[in-house]
Amino acid sequence: MSTLTSTAVTAAPSVATGRGRQLDDWRPEDPDFWQATGAPIARRNLWVSIFAEHVGFSVWSLWSVTVLFLGPAYGIDPAGKFLLTAVPAALGAVLRLPYTLAVARFGGRRWTIISALLLLVPTVPMTVLLEPGVSYTTLMVLACITGVGGGNFASSMANINLFYPARLKGRALGLNAGGGNLGVPAVQLVGLAVLATAGAAYPRLVPAVYLPLIVLAALAAARWLDTVPGARNEPGALREAARDPHTWVMSVLYIGTFGSFIGFGFAFGQVLQLQFAERFPTPVDAAWLTFLGPLVGSLIRPLGGHLADRLGGARVTFWNFVAMAAGAGAVLYAARERSFGLYLAGFLALFVFSGIGNGSTYKMIPAIFRARAADAVAAGLRDPEAAARWARRMTGALIGIAGAIGASGGVLVNIAFRQSFLGSGNADAAYLAFIGWYALCFAVTWVVYRRPGANRLVGV
């Protein structure tokens, strides 16, 4: 396996040329080049990438709102609906690594076009087949293949990372990630609009809305995206990262942050209807609130990175998991006491802190390897240039692995809700499991990155 890097091309042309094709020259770390030529090209690619990734996230999240349309005529119990929201998360997690590698293999522009058009694979048949009488097996297949939208995040982040100088990567990747994450509340707002106008009898209208947007994303990529020269997958980087203990520590933490965000985003509408059936007798009643959690979680994500820059990623992550455990405890208490106001506040807090944690854990990853590289240089084990190169290599690999494993948290959240409702008719067991996981995460964060001692990594 390998990770994606780029090699600056300094061939004859002194400026980047090409519009919507292979760039001839790309030197973002050169201040003069960046000011004169690089910045406008990078911004153009960023905005097109955000749009394409946003559409991909919306398709990935289609079943978070589609299940609200599946009334008695479909003959699906709550456990079956939670499976329908679990399988897209599973495929999306699996596809993140190959989608990351595809950027170097096919080129950023070409792969963005391909990955956008792949979104038609689930949305076209959904538009045709979603009606009473369709088999549950068909619904499971349709739900699963919407997972292709989950892979778009990984390839989009890998591609945009190539366009920006190191000093600006954080902001660019934050905008790219946040714009993509907003696809979750966006598709739920589309579902709400369909429910409020056409009614619950027309679930096929939700994917139908995205058909022209998918085509537009592919056309925009073909017209305005470029491919950075020299991008390559470094042989062995993922394999080396997989043997590093920090990869698995950060993957556990990212399950707790991004896994919670995407899992709750998929399940929130169903849980509201089941937990407070008397308050939400129809899907449209639940849909009015379903989008709020993913919306605040998406908008707050950049704050996590900002706080990590100022206070330290491990410190923010530690206290963030403490807050998530408290939020899950509040949700559990509110569910038992039938307090809807506290329940909603607790769930929204979980979305807020999962968003902050998304930003802070991503900030920890490069800091871990910078600190280890600095230690290696101080000990005389590496020269500074080799240490910096190793840190960049391992950072890219760990982000790819943690991103894929973290997305699997969306599966775990939906399975936890399914098993809890099957076993006891309520979600109490699921909330207890979430509290336990967040407690594990803040304990691991303390032991590995916050505990005072000679082995503590400085600056993480």
Side-chain angles (χ1 to χ4, degrees), residues 65 111 118 199 201 229 296 321:
V65 67
W111 182 249
L118 283 173
V296 296
F321 277 122

Side-chain angles (χ1 to χ4, degrees), residues 268-282:
F268 189 37
Q270 293 183 78
V271 174
L272 280 178
Q273 281 197 290
L274 293 169
Q275 201 82 63
F276 295 93
E278 72 285 352
R279 185 178 286 267
F280 301 104
T282 67

